[in-house]
């Protein structure tokens, strides 16, 4: 497995490991994002087994011990499995997550007390130079888990959207190709989205952020009209996965008259 590092927006690095064995033949990527600010922030840690590769990649951009914030979208192994490994090598680092996630899980799971964030609260990463801050936006149950959230970096208008727009394959680090259909096809494979009502409403509200870059956890990041893409994702989820659409698409064996 190769772990590569690419800058996808100014000072924002995508660390990507491709695993060919997952969802063959296309394969699947696990991506972490590093904001190389005065207070460096890592979004997603990768699983514990990936820690040697991911930490070495982080260390190519900033010294590991300088890492200040460990953040992620929700609590699953690929998002935060190596959280404590990073806290161990970065003595000033804190896990930062929304208040609910801290109360429900991180107060117990994290080896040091986490930093809770309210909905809409920002973290200042670079107070003295460029204004560089990330805003916490709660997205309960989107795409899954009640502590789910995204981060928005306001300087580059980068939306760290985690599992939203997940797609298979090992494409370029960042693309201007429309990812919506790929994401909808991946949803058909994985069925990762837990609450369709919220999954339709939340991308529509995130479109108000007008992101220029979307940092996608699985697959290529996207540079372009983020508002249009988020609205298209909401429309596509509604069209393909609403109860009516699922009923219409049910297997023919179930569609016939009952015996
Ligand atoms: Fe997830
Ligand atoms: Fe994920």
């Amino acid at each position: 497995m190769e772990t590569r590092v690419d800058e996808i927006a100014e000072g924002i690095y995508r660390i990507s490991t491709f695993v060919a064995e997952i969802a063959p033949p296309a394969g699947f990527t696990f991506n972490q994002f590093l904001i190389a600010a005065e207070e460096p922030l890592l979004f997603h840690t990768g699983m514990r087994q990936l820690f040697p590769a991911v930490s070495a990649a982080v260390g190519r951009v900033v010294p590991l011990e300088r890492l200040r914030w460990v953040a992620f979208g929700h609590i699953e192994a690929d998002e935060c499995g190596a959280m404590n490994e990073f806290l161990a090598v970065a003595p000033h680092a804190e896990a930062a997550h929304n208040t609910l996630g801290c109360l429900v899980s991180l107060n117990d799971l994290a080896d040091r007390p986490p930093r809770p964030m309210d909905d809409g609260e920002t973290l200042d990463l670079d107070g003295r130079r460029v204004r560089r801050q990330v805003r916490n936006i709660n997205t309960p149950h989107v795409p899954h888990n009640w502590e789910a959230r995204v981060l928005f970096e306001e300087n580059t208008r980068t939306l760290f959207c985690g599992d939203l727009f997940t797609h298979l394959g090992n494409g370029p680090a960042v693309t201007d190709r429309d990812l919506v259909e790929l994401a909808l096809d991946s949803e058909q494979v994985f069925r990762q989205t837990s609450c369709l009502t919220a999954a339709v409403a939340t991308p529509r509200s995130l479109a108000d952020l007008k992101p220029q870059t979307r940092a996608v956890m699985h697959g290529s990041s996207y540079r372009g009209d983020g508002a249009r893409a988020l609205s298209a994702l909401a429309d596509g989820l509604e069209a393909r996965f609403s109860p009516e659409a699922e009923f219409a698409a049910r297997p023919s064996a179930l569609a016939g008259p009952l015996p």
Side-chain angles (χ1 to χ4, degrees), residues 87-111:
L87 293 180
V89 296
H92 306 295
E94 291 172 82
H97 199 78
N98 64 18
T99 305
L100 178 77
C102 293
L103 288 172
V104 172
S105 297
L106 294 181
N107 286 343
D108 183 69
L109 292 178
D111 282 348

Side-chain angles (χ1 to χ4, degrees), residues 26-83:
F28 200 56
T29 54
F30 292 92
N31 305 322
Q32 301 78 39
F33 297 93
L34 176 66
I35 305 178
E38 221 165 85
E39 298 196 2
L41 180 145
L42 181 67
F43 193 70
H44 310 144
T45 68
M47 298 79 93
R48 283 188 302 157
Q49 289 91 335
L50 282 185
F51 178 73
V54 174
S55 59
V58 170
R60 278 154 51 192
V61 182
V62 297
L64 271 179
E65 62 273 15
R66 269 197 54 218
L67 202 58
R68 179 66 182 86
W69 300 107
V70 177
F72 33 85
H74 48 269
I75 296 167
E76 283 183 326
D78 56 337
E79 272 77 7
C80 64
M83 168 182 65

Side-chain angles (χ1 to χ4, degrees), residues 123-143:
L123 266 185
D124 236 324
L125 305 182
D126 225 342
R128 281 177 294 166
R129 293 184 297 166
V130 281
R131 182 165 160 267
R132 182 144 243 193
Q133 56 184 20
V134 287
R135 195 190 319 167
N136 173 67
I137 301 166
N138 290 345
T139 61
H141 306 290
V142 179

